[in-house]
Amino acid sequence: CFSPDLLSLYDLQGRVAVIVDVLRATSTIVTALAAGVTEVFPTATLEECAALGREHGYITAAERDGIAAAGFDLGNSPFGFLDGKLPVRGRALAISTTNGTLALRRSLAAEAVVCGAFLNLKAVVDFAVAQQRDVLVVCAGWKGQFCLEDSLFGGALAERLAAQGFDITASDAALAALHLWQHAKPTWPHYLLQSAAVRRLNALEAHDDFTYCMQIDTHPDLLPLWQTDSLVRG
Ligand code: MLT
């Protein structure tokens, strides 16, 4: 599913939904849980995010149009959880982003909902193999539009699942994503340098976020898994 706006065309029932916002929401969520955040509450609105901070003392992280939203502890950079400026270990996180957290909230009817990023590709593959269910990759995209980096993650996942015996020919979208990934892989991640997301990050002087998020399998066992009302380590 190349955009959350196309979700109504897909059946979520009985499927594993892999929510992908490589730049940067799902990469940041993986990083936050790896840094010791106990659970993650993704919210659609900034108001809900702020309320969770106010009422429960959660860390708040919020971004709109790539820029950290005013009045929150952090923006959407994974480095917010790595630079040691804010103590994060043992605390819960409320996070609201332009596309990623919205895509997640729209996918909750699936049998299982997990977050995927290049950082934890292996964890997503292992979960899908263990579940033996159809997988729907929900690309967060950008304001309803197709984006390269999430689609490329879909292709990388399709490649690994095909190697595990999954039939990826059932979907032209999966085949297209796979072919795109096979084209990009030999020069990874340079293929993405011209993409809109990378240009956006560069304009915000956040090129390091791009380099960080394109690493593959740095967190091979870390799976953000939806349980009841938040994401926890699966
Ligand atoms: C989003 O959810 O739209 C993003 O992750 C945007 C960003 O962090 O630049």
Side-chain angles (χ1 to χ4, degrees):
C1 178
F2 285 127
S3 158
D5 287 1
L6 298 174
L7 261 173
S8 60
L9 303 175
Y10 292 87
D11 198 2
L12 283 158
Q13 300 284 327
R15 291 183 163 170
V16 173
V18 180
I19 317 305
V20 188
D21 187 356
V22 166
L23 291 173
R24 295 162 291 180
T26 53
S27 299
T28 296
I29 289 170
V30 167
T31 304
L33 289 170
V37 162
T38 50
E39 55 183 326
V40 179
F41 293 82
T43 71
T45 67
L46 294 175
E47 291 71 25
E48 291 166 280
C49 185
L52 286 172
R54 219 172 30 244
E55 291 161 20
H56 302 285
Y58 298 165
I59 302 166
T60 56
E63 162 275 337
R64 285 296 179 271
D65 293 332
I67 300 167
F72 295 84
D73 298 320
L74 298 170
N76 192 27
S77 170
F79 290 109
F81 296 88
L82 295 173
D83 62 15
K85 289 183 188 158
L86 182 78
V88 297
R89 182 163 295 282
R91 298 181 64 192
L93 165 72
I95 183 168
S96 183
T97 70
T98 313
N99 308 286
T101 57
L102 212 55
L104 187 138
R105 297 224 65 101
R106 287 188 189 172
S107 305
L108 294 179
E111 180 68 27
V113 178
V114 300
C115 287
F118 284 104
L119 305 176
N120 73 334
L121 176 57
K122 181 177 182 299
V124 176
V125 172
D126 290 347
F127 182 77
V129 169
Q131 291 277 311
Q132 285 297 315
R133 292 179 182 277
D134 283 351
V135 173
L136 180 67
V137 178
V138 182
C139 298
W142 184 257
K143 298 186 180 177
Q145 293 183 11
F146 174 94
C147 82
L148 275 175
E149 66 278 10
D150 297 342
S151 309
L152 283 163
F153 173 89
L157 180 61
E159 183 181 67
R160 295 232 190 146
L161 290 182
Q164 294 288 337
F166 278 66
D167 175 15
I168 62 151
T169 61
S171 152
D172 278 4
L175 279 177
L178 174 64
H179 294 161
L180 192 64
W181 167 245
Q182 287 169 338
H183 180 67
K185 198 172 151 182
T187 56
W188 189 253
H190 302 286
Y191 176 82
L192 274 172
L193 288 178
Q194 289 181 310
S195 68
V198 176
R199 282 185 281 120
R200 218 165 22 242
L201 288 175
N202 287 347
L204 298 168
E205 296 183 354
H207 189 79
D208 288 351
D209 287 30
F210 163 67
T211 311
Y212 173 85
C213 294
M214 294 307 131
Q215 301 174 99
I216 299 176
D217 283 339
T218 52
H219 295 86
D221 302 319
L222 204 149
L223 187 75
L225 173 69
W226 185 259
Q227 293 218 311
T228 315
D229 59 356
S230 67
L231 291 161
V232 295
R233 285 182 77 140

